[in-house]
Amino acid sequence: MREDGIDGIPRRAVVVGAGVVGLSTAWFLQEHGVDVTVVDKQDVAAGSSWGNAGYLSPAFSIPLPEPAVLRYGLRTLFAPDAPLHVPASPDPALWSFLTRFAAHCTPWAWRRSMQAFVPMNAECLDAFDALLAGGVAARTEQAPITAAFENPEQVADLRHEFEQIRRCGQQVGTTELSTADAGVPQLSDRISAVLRVDGQRYVDPGEFTRALAKSFVERGGTLRTGFAVRQLVRTPGQVIVKSEQEDRVSAEVVVLATGAWLSKLAKPLGVRTPVRAGRGYSFTVPTDEPVPGPIYLPAARVACTPYQGGLRVAGTMEFRPVDAPLDRGRVEAIVRSARPLLRGVRWEERRDEWVGGRPVTPDGLALIGATKLPGTYVAGGHGMWGLTLGPLTGRLLAEQITTGKRPALLRPFDPLR
């Protein structure tokens, strides 16, 4: 008997969630000969896999709880325009979560968590290459990320962050440039310092996720949308997935990859680490000139990416219920913070205003692996890095499911920790 309670390689699997993490897991399970069904309560890329900034950025893939976040958060916690925002509300579960999150915002805790990220970051782009080589009809664009600063003294904070990452064993290539040498026409005259971060990529996240779904179906996978899962039931030899409409599908293995909704189904399976929605906002704006690559505005905590002939602008971390409506005031706050720093951007013509729940854990580590219920697994809680780490998560979890042995890279992400 394997450590996950399954005899032999499973023949069938159900993956709950049609975002990049769930579809990557399904695709790599197919590589091992497993017949896979993916179900989703909405549609492919209906959540954060569509609206994120599209960064494939191992240099920025770090644990979210860190001392700087705590210092900044305490100063701006209830400020409606602040990039990190917690509405004043009597939500004991949220405040319990934030208390645990704050407890991990120490240098020691951050370094410990970063040690888990380093080997994942070293391999994450290879997993994208494997998907593309295997027939996923999408592409990733190689380009440095240009971090732009209004005040030259602000560069020191990001430089310090990268030095801490290097001390944990991850290589990050950076070059300090003048604004004139950056080659980014969108930088305004207010920008006085630039730090170029090399070795990164970006992608149209919705297009990539849809291409992944198309490849999965063409390889014989089954995709069912409008299937809202209510319950998992273990029976001899299989797990039954029941929907709210009383439909059901069963398999030897079930993987929950439901993003910010993960805790609802995972908690009954023994996953005690909570997942909360750290909601992010994005929109698209036309630009007067082509955007050569991603632009990061650290002081405003705004990420910008070339997108469909314009610029996708993404930012904020808002701890509200995942299904709460879009707050247009948060969009306006992003515009106010970014407008002085960028030129040739037609802010009034913005479109595709979006809000989505990024799945955040209190210790900054994702939940990837087997639960207490034999035959059930979870893959989620990646915070802001579900796109960057999603394909590698799927590849490693598929390996664990089909071999019964947990890859060394997944040990720090044990969902039963």
Side-chain angles (χ1 to χ4, degrees):
M1 181 70 71
R2 300 166 8 153
E3 63 180 33
D4 54 11
I6 301 173
D7 290 318
I9 298 177
R11 294 171 300 164
R12 295 172 297 127
V14 174
V15 176
V16 183
V20 68
V21 175
L23 287 167
S24 294
T25 304
W27 195 95
F28 281 108
L29 281 170
Q30 289 178 317
E31 290 286 275
H32 291 273
V34 181
D35 182 15
V36 188
T37 297
V38 173
V39 301
D40 194 283
K41 67 177 182 179
Q42 297 183 56
D43 205 344
V44 172
S48 292
S49 291
W50 182 85
N52 68 79
Y55 281 22
L56 308 184
S57 51
F60 290 90
S61 177
I62 64 175
L64 185 58
E66 58 171 325
V69 169
L70 181 59
R71 291 193 300 270
Y72 181 83
L74 290 176
R75 293 198 309 269
T76 64
L77 195 60
F78 300 113
D81 280 5
L84 176 62
H85 179 56
V86 181
S89 63
D91 184 345
L94 173 59
W95 291 107
S96 173
F97 174 90
L98 293 175
T99 299
R100 292 177 62 180
F101 185 96
H104 286 91
C105 290
T106 66
W108 179 86
W110 184 88
R111 286 192 297 270
R112 184 169 181 264
S113 296
M114 188 65 213
Q115 293 291 344
F117 275 77
V118 169
M120 296 285 285
N121 290 339
E123 296 189 20
C124 63
L125 297 181
D126 292 341
F128 278 90
D129 292 338
L131 290 172
L132 302 185
V136 176
R139 64 181 185 179
T140 65
E141 303 289 347
Q142 298 190 24
I145 293 176
T146 301
F149 305 85
E150 186 174 7
N151 184 343
E153 296 177 358
Q154 296 170 337
V155 181
D157 292 335
L158 188 57
R159 191 191 302 118
H160 174 73
E161 180 178 297
F162 287 141
E163 183 56 36
Q164 296 303 308
I165 294 173
R166 293 186 185 103
R167 289 180 181 179
C168 291
Q170 179 172 326
Q171 297 302 311
V172 180
T174 60
T175 305
E176 295 189 35
L177 301 170
S178 68
T179 305
D181 292 335
V184 180
Q186 284 73 33
L187 300 183
S188 79
D189 294 337
R190 297 275 291 270
I191 297 298
S192 60
V194 169
L195 186 67
R196 190 184 69 200
V197 185
D198 298 312
Q200 312 304 297
R201 304 187 198 178
Y202 68 95
V203 70
D204 178 329
E207 178 185 273
F208 180 86
T209 307
R210 288 189 291 268
L212 180 55
K214 185 173 184 290
S215 176
F216 163 74
V217 172
E218 289 174 346
R219 286 152 50 102
T222 300
L223 177 63
R224 296 182 61 180
T225 57
F227 190 107
V229 176
R230 176 174 59 86
Q231 183 185 18
L232 305 184
V233 178
R234 176 73 187 183
T235 63
Q238 66 178 355
V239 181
I240 300 173
V241 182
K242 296 183 178 181
S243 79
E244 293 177 354
Q245 297 82 19
E246 298 302 325
D247 291 337
R248 59 182 61 196
V249 61
S250 62
E252 293 100 314
V253 163
V254 172
V255 179
L256 300 178
T258 53
W261 294 266
L262 186 65
S263 287
K264 178 181 178 181
L265 292 171
K267 188 175 181 180
L269 309 182
V271 180
R272 294 177 296 177
T273 300
V275 174
R276 298 286 304 206
R279 302 197 332 153
Y281 285 72
S282 73
F283 52 87
T284 303
V285 284
T287 57
D288 293 342
E289 298 185 61
V291 185
I295 305 167
Y296 178 44
L297 306 174
R301 286 174 166 77
V302 169
C304 307
T305 318
Y307 181 75
Q308 297 183 1
L311 188 72
R312 171 169 280 184
V313 182
T316 207
M317 175 67 74
E318 176 190 61
F319 285 100
R320 276 185 176 159
V322 63
D323 294 316
L326 180 144
D327 181 350
R328 186 148 281 104
R330 303 295 294 162
V331 174
E332 296 289 349
I334 295 173
V335 172
R336 283 193 296 271
S337 66
R339 184 195 294 268
L341 306 179
L342 300 175
R343 64 185 173 192
V345 176
R346 301 198 290 275
W347 299 101
E348 287 71 24
E349 298 177 38
R350 63 182 179 269
R351 59 181 173 84
D352 294 338
E353 292 184 351
W354 172 90
V355 63
R358 295 166 297 195
V360 179
T361 61
D363 60 5
L365 296 176
L367 306 170
I368 311 168
T371 76
K372 287 186 176 180
L373 184 68
T376 63
Y377 300 78
V378 297
H382 293 79
M384 297 167 64
W385 311 117
L387 178 61
T388 297
L389 300 179
L392 180 59
T393 293
R395 187 172 75 181
L396 294 172
L397 185 56
E399 178 184 335
Q400 178 177 351
I401 291 170
T402 55
T403 67
K405 298 179 180 179
R406 180 170 56 189
L409 269 64
L410 291 188
R411 287 174 187 161
F413 305 100
D414 185 352
L416 300 180
R417 62 182 181 269

